[in-house]
Amino acid sequence: MELRSFPSPTLSEHLISCIVPSYIKTKNICKLNFEEKVTAMRRSFGQCWRLNLRCSANGDGASVLASNVHVREQQSCSNIPLHDARILYSVAPAMGHNKEYHPESNLRVPAIVNALEEFELTSKYCGLEVFEMQNFTTASVDDIARVHERAYVTGLEKTFQESLIAAGAGLSLVDSVVSASITSPNPPIGFALIRPPGHHAIPKGPMGFCVFGNIAVAARYAQHVHGLTRVLIIDFDVHHGNGTCDAFYDDPNVFFLSTHQVGSYPGTGKIEQVGQGSGEGTTLNLPLPGGSGDYVMRSAFNEVIAPCAQRFKPDIILVSAGYDAHVLDPLAGLQFTAGTYYMLASSIKQLAKELCKGRCVFFLEGGYNLQSLSHSVVDTFRAFLEQPSLAPQFDDPAILYEEPLSKAKQAIQKIKHLHSL
């Protein structure tokens, strides 16, 4: 990807994006029995959204230090009813970051938002259970430079502000999810509906369709700001998250686990790549044969992902949620369905509840068929809310073909042996 191919955002687009906002608000809540509570929530968020709630270094959430990075005075956020929410999501569509006919287009996030509205999964229909964080803060250059070389970060001119906003959306969700986990046994799950995606971006520069490594930046942020030392990153995008992998390849405190199609772009993610130095063993790459679908992914989750997570015992789980492994996606050759993504969302949510007090944030990565992308995210939200899957409505079994079970089983057995699972 060449950065010069993307037009610079206009001033009006920056103003619309509200790069430096002063509050978080809820919108479109129409249920009368929530009206009084929502009014109080808006007032509280207006006072408190800039606070970074930092867990103590022990990472267990038992004690909290309130530190305001931008506003010096400390204020109480105890009356923000985050415990009522089951999903927190943020939207950063980067409308100015676009090239005609490019698959990573500015239609992707709006398609998801429209589908959430169509299937009544916004706060307009769900009340306080689904909460959209608006006008979130922008990631700072220092936040980004914990992963990327500063010369690359400061050298960007085009897409720079929109990429900061995308990264900042993830950081704001980490703040809120961590904060909620301190006071509630069932904190909401976060989902950053953002672009540009991030998992291919390497420390020295952009790659693929990615500018900044949004999830890698969030992992370092969780460690440095919230004291959450052990971070598990699950990447189920059809392509290997080489940038995320590189960022933590020698880090024993970040476990990077990727499932991806064997031989797909960018050609990295070999099964033998397990980390190096003190980080040896905390990278797991599981290339899946072309044609792998729901059955193979369920087996991979049960036999590889869950055991790894249980052994690693993370303080937070971050997810590179790529929806380009869907059978209808044009850029690859796996055959996941909306039902596959429902299973993954439900299972990861349960893992987070068991292992790290429910702390979990999803980050949108790939997914280039607008219908399968939006339907899969809808079913992800429904899994978070423990609503029945709409896969029977979304998926057409007639287009599926036999999965390469023998090849997939060999890969799973090899990875289990390699990582002593």
Side-chain angles (χ1 to χ4, degrees):
M1 179 183 75
E2 296 182 352
L3 288 180
R4 64 175 179 272
S5 65
F6 294 99
S8 179
T10 65
L11 176 60
S12 63
E13 287 165 341
H14 287 314
L15 292 175
I16 292 172
S17 299
C18 300
I19 294 170
V20 186
S22 62
Y23 61 92
I24 296 176
K25 63 182 180 178
T26 49
K27 70 170 186 177
N28 297 331
I29 298 182
C30 63
K31 294 187 177 181
L32 294 178
N33 58 322
F34 288 119
E35 186 173 340
E36 183 175 341
K37 201 170 188 180
V38 172
T39 300
M41 182 191 293
R42 285 179 176 143
R43 187 180 304 114
S44 300
F45 267 57
Q47 294 172 345
C48 306
W49 79 280
R50 288 184 181 275
L51 289 178
N52 286 323
L53 296 177
R54 304 191 180 194
C55 291
S56 59
N58 59 23
D60 62 3
S63 59
V64 182
L65 297 176
S67 174
N68 191 334
V69 175
H70 303 290
V71 181
R72 293 299 178 186
E73 59 179 317
Q74 295 186 352
Q75 300 162 313
S76 171
C77 294
S78 59
N79 59 343
I80 297 177
L82 287 177
H83 57 274
D84 288 330
R86 299 174 71 182
I87 300 174
L88 295 176
Y89 72 100
S90 51
V91 178
M95 297 305 290
H97 175 70
N98 192 54
K99 184 178 181 181
E100 192 173 6
Y101 305 121
H102 197 287
E104 208 293 287
S105 75
N106 61 5
L107 299 177
R108 296 176 65 229
V109 172
I112 294 171
V113 173
N114 289 339
L116 294 176
E117 184 74 16
E118 177 185 353
F119 290 94
E120 301 185 355
L121 291 170
T122 64
S123 56
K124 176 179 178 181
Y125 303 98
C126 299
L128 298 181
E129 287 192 330
V130 179
F131 189 92
E132 180 185 352
M133 295 176 57
Q134 293 186 313
N135 302 330
F136 35 78
T137 188
T138 300
S140 70
V141 171
D142 288 338
D143 291 327
I144 303 297
R146 292 194 183 106
V147 172
H148 295 282
E149 291 187 3
R150 190 171 291 270
Y152 160 55
V153 177
T154 56
L156 281 175
E157 294 180 0
K158 297 179 180 179
T159 78
F160 182 68
Q161 287 296 338
E162 289 185 319
S163 298
L164 288 180
I165 292 169
L171 304 189
S172 296
L173 285 171
V174 168
D175 284 339
S176 295
V177 168
V178 172
S179 172
S181 73
I182 297 166
T183 58
S184 171
N186 296 300
I189 287 188
F191 202 134
L193 298 174
I194 58 176
R195 55 178 297 275
H199 71 157
H200 292 311
I202 59 176
K204 290 185 178 180
M207 187 172 178
F209 305 151
C210 306
V211 177
F212 293 144
N214 302 313
I215 200 166
V217 170
R220 287 293 187 228
Y221 182 84
Q223 290 176 322
H224 285 262
V225 174
H226 292 290
L228 300 178
T229 304
R230 298 174 69 79
V231 181
L232 170 63
I233 299 176
I234 300 172
D235 187 330
F236 55 70
D237 191 279
V238 78
H239 305 106
H240 179 242
N242 60 296
T244 314
C245 184
D246 289 354
F248 305 115
Y249 202 62
D250 58 357
D251 190 335
N253 292 317
V254 179
F255 196 113
F256 174 72
L257 192 159
S258 173
T259 60
H260 47 275
Q261 183 178 344
V262 64
S264 62
Y265 178 88
T268 54
K270 307 300 184 185
I271 204 168
E272 296 81 12
Q273 295 177 311
V274 298
Q276 67 183 9
S278 58
E280 184 174 353
T282 55
T283 294
L284 187 151
N285 290 303
L286 178 53
L288 301 175
S292 295
D294 188 78
Y295 183 88
V296 169
M297 194 61 204
R298 288 175 186 269
S299 299
F301 190 91
N302 293 333
E303 298 185 43
V304 178
I305 297 175
C308 279
Q310 290 159 355
R311 185 170 65 185
F312 183 67
K313 296 180 175 59
D315 297 317
I316 189 171
I317 297 176
L318 305 179
V319 182
S320 272
Y323 293 88
D324 44 3
H326 195 282
V327 64
L328 295 178
D329 198 273
L331 296 192
L334 297 187
Q335 48 175 343
F336 289 9
T337 64
T340 311
Y341 294 113
Y342 182 93
M343 176 275 297
L344 285 169
S346 179
S347 301
I348 292 171
K349 175 184 175 182
Q350 184 61 32
L351 271 183
K353 183 176 181 179
E354 294 173 358
L355 301 176
C356 51
K357 299 186 178 182
R359 293 187 287 252
C360 184
V361 180
F362 278 52
F363 293 74
L364 182 66
E365 297 287 0
Y368 308 103
N369 177 301
L370 297 184
Q371 177 178 296
S372 63
L373 168 64
S374 55
H375 284 174
S376 296
V377 175
V378 162
D379 235 25
T380 296
F381 269 54
R382 290 180 68 87
F384 292 160
L385 294 171
E386 299 177 10
Q387 297 178 0
S389 171
L390 293 180
Q393 176 180 336
F394 294 150
D395 298 334
D396 180 8
I399 67 174
L400 302 177
Y401 51 93
E402 186 177 358
E403 295 184 45
L405 300 183
S406 179
K407 290 183 178 179
K409 184 176 181 180
Q410 290 176 8
I412 290 173
Q413 291 303 316
K414 183 175 182 179
I415 205 76
K416 289 173 67 176
H417 174 74
L418 191 62
H419 287 266
S420 302
L421 296 174

